[in-house]
Amino acid sequence: MGKTVHFATGIGGLHDQYAAMCIAALSIMSEVARLCGKSGVIMRYTCLKGYLVPVAQDMIRSGYIQGGNPELYSDDMVNYTGENQAAFMAAVQGYMMREEPAVNMIFGALKAEAQQTLVAGARVGAVQLAGTPRLYYQALLVILCDYNLIGDELFAAGAYLSKDPAQLGTIQAQDWNKLIVMFLIILSAITSSFGLDLIGLLFSW
Amino acid sequence: MSILKRKETAFLFYVIPMVAIVFIDYTGIAKPVGSELISWAIVIWIFSYFVGIYNMFKSRLAVLLERKPGWQYSILLFASFFGILIFGFMQHDFGYNWIVENLLTPMTLGVKIYGFVLMIILARGAKTRNFDVTFLLIVLIVVMFGKSALGPAMIPDILVLKDFFEGPINTGVMRAIKIATGIGLIVIFIKGLLGLEKAYIGEIVLSAEE
C-alpha cells in the first residue's frame, strides 16, 4: 500500500511520425489518471518531450478531479527528463529503484528505453503493462510484461476505455477493415495460384 | 470547458494545419504556406524545451531546497546544465568537447549497453507466468541454439525447426501486425480529423462507467 503508479509514453512524440502512437498512449493515460484519482494512488509520468509536460499535467489534474481526489494532484507528478533517450533511461531506472512503484506502464512509440524501463520495473517487482505497434519490440514486451497490447491494440485501447459510442464505432470500423484486408489476402492468394494478379489489377485501377 | 479543449480549438490548431500540409504536399499548390506552417511548428517545438526545462528545474529545486533524499543529484544536474550551456554559448571547443567526449558519451554508452541488457532480460525480467511467454522462450532458445555454431553440430535437425520459426511463422505474424497497425493508424488519423481524439491537447477521455 502507498506505492506509486508509473506511466511513460516512450520516445515518440506528437511532432514526429509517431504522433498517432503517442496520442493513443495519452488517451490510455487519461483513464489511468482517473483511476488513480479514484483510488487515491499517486501517479508519476515521465516524458522525453517538453510539450508533453503541460498536456500531461492537464490530463492528470483532470483525472484526479474526476476521480474525486483533486488534493492529491501536484505538478511534480510529471517529470521531464530532457530530450535524450539515455537521460530518460537513467532517470526512470533511478526512479524505479528509489520509489519502487507498484505498477509500471509504458505505451506509445517505444524504442530501447522500453526494455530498460521494464527490466527496472521487473527488478522491483512491479506489475508491468506495455504496448507499442512497433514490430521490433513485440516479443520483448510479451516477455517482460504481465499484460501487453500487441500491434494495433494500442490504437483501440483508448477508444475502448472511453466507452464513448462514437469512439467505439471506430474500433468496429477497424475490425471491419481488418476483415476486408483478410478477405482480399485470401482472395488474392487463390487468384494468384491461378495466374491472376488481383492486387496488381486493383492498384493499377 | 477550457477554450483550449474545445473542438473548435482542436480544429484550428491541429486539423486545419494538418490537412493543409497534406494537401500542399500532394498538390504542390501554395508551397510557401506549407513551409511557413512547418516553420511555425518547429519554432513551437523548440520553445517547448523551455516548458520542459522549467518543469524540471521546479521539481529539482524543490528537492534541493527541502533536502529530500538524493538532493545532491540536483546540484549535479544544475552544474551539468549550466556548465554545458556556458561552454556551448562561449563556443569553447575544448571545454564543450571535453564534456561530450569524456562525460556524456561514456555515460550514454553505459546506459545503452543493449546486448548486455537483452541478455539479462531473460534472467531478471522475464515473466514466465503463462503459456504464451513460456512458448516464446522455448522458441527463442531453439532459434538461438540453431543460430549458434554448436547447435547444428550437436543436433542437425534443429536448423529445419529454426528456419520454420524464422520463415513462415515470423513473417506471417510480422505482416499481420504491420497490416493491422496501418489500419489503426488510419483510424487514429480519422478520429483526429473528426475531433473525437483530443488527447494531444490534454483532453481526458470521458468514461461512461459513472
Side-chain angles (χ1 to χ4, degrees), chain A residues 10-12 18 46-49 80-93 106 109-117 134 137, chain B residues 104 107-109 111-114:
Chain A
I11 199 164
Y18 303 120
T46 319
C47 64
L48 278 138
K49 309 289 176 196
Y80 172 67
T81 63
E83 311 276 324
N84 186 297
Q85 190 189 37
F88 175 86
M89 289 172 176
V92 170
Q93 287 178 71
I106 182 161
L110 310 181
K111 290 188 179 174
E113 74 281 355
Q115 66 201 38
Q116 300 270 17
T117 306
R134 299 198 70 238
Y137 291 95
Chain B
L104 188 65
M107 282 195 292
T108 305
L109 290 174
V111 175
K112 290 185 176 181
I113 313 172
Y114 294 115

Side-chain angles (χ1 to χ4, degrees), chain A residues 101-168:
Chain A
V103 183
N104 179 30
M105 296 184 222
I106 182 161
F107 293 98
L110 310 181
K111 290 188 179 174
E113 74 281 355
Q115 66 201 38
Q116 300 270 17
T117 306
L118 292 169
V119 168
R123 286 185 70 185
V124 297
V127 174
Q128 311 230 71
L129 296 97
T132 183
R134 299 198 70 238
L135 269 180
Y136 184 74
Y137 291 95
Q138 302 298 323
L140 274 171
L141 298 192
V142 171
I143 285 176
L144 288 167
C145 296
D146 293 278
Y147 303 98
N148 74 310
L149 300 175
I150 297 170
D152 67 312
E153 287 174 350
L154 179 75
F155 298 125
Y160 173 76
L161 289 170
S162 75
K163 306 277 193 299
D164 171 29
Q167 295 225 35
L168 285 172

Side-chain angles (χ1 to χ4, degrees), chain B residues 128-149:
Chain B
T128 48
R129 289 178 192 169
N130 55 43
F131 172 75
D132 295 350
V133 178
T134 314
F135 183 68
L136 188 69
L137 284 172
I138 293 167
V139 171
L140 181 73
I141 291 163
V142 169
V143 173
M144 281 175 73
F145 201 56
K147 276 180 179 265
S148 69

Side-chain angles (χ1 to χ4, degrees), chain A residues 16-81:
Chain A
D16 50 29
Q17 72 269 37
Y18 303 120
M21 299 177 195
C22 189
I23 290 172
L26 285 174
S27 61
I28 294 173
M29 191 184 77
S30 66
E31 182 67 7
V32 173
R34 194 185 66 80
L35 288 172
C36 284
K38 193 178 167 187
S39 320
V41 175
I42 300 294
M43 178 184 176
R44 301 260 185 241
Y45 171 68
T46 319
C47 64
L48 278 138
K49 309 289 176 196
Y51 51 74
L52 286 177
V53 171
V55 170
Q57 283 176 339
D58 200 10
M59 276 184 150
I60 296 174
R61 189 188 298 115
S62 307
Y64 275 78
I65 291 169
Q66 280 198 355
N69 282 309
E71 72 283 356
L72 289 177
Y73 171 78
S74 66
D75 279 348
D76 63 1
M77 284 178 169
V78 177
N79 293 303
Y80 172 67
T81 63

Side-chain angles (χ1 to χ4, degrees), chain B residues 65-170:
Chain B
L65 295 175
E66 292 167 24
R67 293 285 193 277
K68 286 182 183 173
W71 61 272
Q72 299 91 338
Y73 297 112
S74 297
I75 298 175
L76 200 63
L77 183 131
F78 288 122
S80 312
F81 181 85
F82 288 111
I84 204 152
L85 193 74
I86 289 163
F87 282 123
F89 267 114
M90 283 166 62
Q91 296 185 326
H92 194 293
D93 283 348
F94 175 74
Y96 187 82
N97 289 346
W98 189 89
I99 291 173
V100 171
E101 283 170 20
N102 296 297
L103 295 175
L104 188 65
T105 310
M107 282 195 292
T108 305
L109 290 174
V111 175
K112 290 185 176 181
I113 313 172
Y114 294 115
F116 181 67
V117 170
L118 282 169
M119 292 305 285
I120 64 166
I121 278 174
L122 295 178
R124 283 182 170 165
K127 304 225 171 193
T128 48
R129 289 178 192 169
N130 55 43
F131 172 75
D132 295 350
V133 178
T134 314
F135 183 68
L136 188 69
L137 284 172
I138 293 167
V139 171
L140 181 73
I141 291 163
V142 169
V143 173
M144 281 175 73
F145 201 56
K147 276 180 179 265
S148 69
L150 195 64
M154 287 170 67
I155 314 164
D157 289 342
I158 204 159
L159 279 174
V160 180
L161 209 55
K162 181 202 78 125
D163 289 341
F164 173 68
F165 286 134
E166 278 196 318
I169 301 285
N170 197 32

